[in-house]
Amino acid sequence: MTPFILIAEDEDSVVELLRYNLDREGYEIGIARDGEEALVMMRERAPDLLLLDWMLPKVTGIEVCRQVRSRTETRNLPIIMLTARTEEADRIRGLDTGADDYITKPFSTTELMARIRAVLRRIRPGLADDVLRCGGVEINRGAHTVLRNGKELHLGPTEFRLLDYLMQRPGRVFSREQLLDAVWGADVYVEARTVDVHIGRLRKALNKYSDVDLIRTVRSAGYSLVPPKEEGPIV
Ligand code: CA
């Protein structure tokens, strides 16, 4: 299950940065531009994690935090506060109000992503699991191993990252550009054809012990991992 993260933030640049990085990590995202909207959105659908700006219009982050904690449905919702304030007293106040963690702006996205994974792992162990399964394939990020129908496969580092990314959203078609951004990084110049080469290697490795091709090539669109229900009998 893909974790759903609600971003409550009013600064456009921060929203874009978060949207880009969370999407890249495979999370589902909701965006609220003020505290009131965040509360309304959470009543419609409880997120798995709330990224909450301290200084929000209409209803402040602190007040949102209080209300989230006072409602039974969201009492245990993990909250990471985003704050421009650096004073220790404010941090403690944020944590007192019920935030699970806080991060000070400007923040490093690598650090924020690590905190998000840590919070999800602590509170909902299944959500940020080190092991992803799809059909007969199991990828273990911690041990860096891939199994298909119980047999270990040997993938190169790029093929491993490609598979990890595709497995976060089985069935979704990714363009070569999206895969380049996610697997090689947005600031690295690599030809789109490189993706085809690595997809070819990944496909060969994945299908070594099986006749069922798990990678679907979508003409002029890109690639996707065939979701389990379309996979057919496991051989
Ligand atoms: Ca703000």
Side-chain angles (χ1 to χ4, degrees):
M1 190 190 121
T2 307
F4 172 49
I5 298 181
L6 181 64
I7 302 167
E9 169 64 74
D10 60 318
E11 272 170 66
D12 291 338
S13 58
V14 180
V15 169
E16 281 318 305
L17 185 72
L18 292 172
R19 189 211 301 268
Y20 177 79
N21 284 282
L22 293 170
D23 184 61
R24 193 171 147 169
E25 295 263 325
Y27 297 114
E28 202 184 332
I29 309 155
I31 293 164
R33 308 308 299 247
D34 60 60
E36 197 178 282
E37 194 183 0
L39 290 168
V40 169
M41 285 176 76
M42 278 186 285
R43 252 173 234 127
E44 284 166 8
R45 181 184 172 193
D48 295 299
L49 184 136
L50 173 63
L51 282 180
L52 180 61
D53 180 29
W54 179 293
M55 300 293 281
L56 278 177
K58 295 188 185 171
V59 180
T60 66
I62 283 288
E63 183 52 29
V64 170
C65 205
R66 274 201 197 99
Q67 293 200 29
V68 163
R69 288 291 173 252
S70 68
R71 289 180 60 232
T72 321
E73 300 88 336
T74 51
R75 184 162 293 150
N76 299 314
L77 170 67
I79 300 174
I80 298 180
M81 279 276 206
L82 304 171
T83 169
R85 303 175 176 215
T86 51
E87 287 89 357
E88 196 61 23
D90 286 333
R91 293 180 181 189
I92 290 164
R93 204 173 131 219
L95 295 174
D96 274 353
T97 317
D100 295 278
D101 201 353
Y102 62 85
I103 194 154
T104 309
K105 291 188 226 172
F107 50 82
S108 124
T109 50
T110 313
E111 191 190 346
L112 179 62
M113 295 304 134
R115 301 264 195 107
I116 289 172
R117 280 194 296 270
V119 167
L120 287 174
R121 194 176 292 131
R122 191 167 70 233
I123 296 170
R124 311 255 174 100
L127 281 178
D129 218 332
D130 275 349
V131 178
L132 291 179
R133 291 182 187 87
C134 174
V137 178
E138 181 182 305
I139 181 166
N140 187 318
R141 291 158 170 167
H144 230 265
T145 54
V146 179
L147 303 177
R148 177 143 194 212
N149 301 337
K151 294 198 180 88
E152 186 163 0
L153 307 177
H154 298 281
L155 304 186
T158 304
E159 288 73 43
F160 187 92
R161 288 201 303 276
L162 261 177
L163 179 64
D164 186 340
Y165 191 69
L166 291 171
M167 279 187 64
Q168 290 171 30
R169 293 181 181 182
R172 174 165 161 183
V173 179
F174 293 99
S175 69
R176 288 170 179 80
E177 289 69 28
Q178 283 172 320
L179 293 172
L180 278 174
D181 273 7
V183 175
W184 281 263
D187 45 357
V188 179
Y189 180 75
V190 184
E191 276 184 60
R193 226 195 81 70
T194 309
V195 176
D196 302 338
V197 173
H198 288 277
I199 284 281
R201 287 184 196 161
L202 175 60
R203 177 179 268 144
K204 195 176 164 202
L206 272 182
N207 299 339
K208 191 174 176 185
Y209 300 115
S210 174
D211 295 332
V212 182
D213 189 359
L214 286 179
I215 294 183
R216 186 156 54 112
T217 304
V218 183
R219 199 183 295 266
S220 77
Y223 297 100
S224 78
L225 195 76
V226 178
K229 58 178 176 348
E230 290 177 31
E231 190 191 340
I234 291 172
V235 287

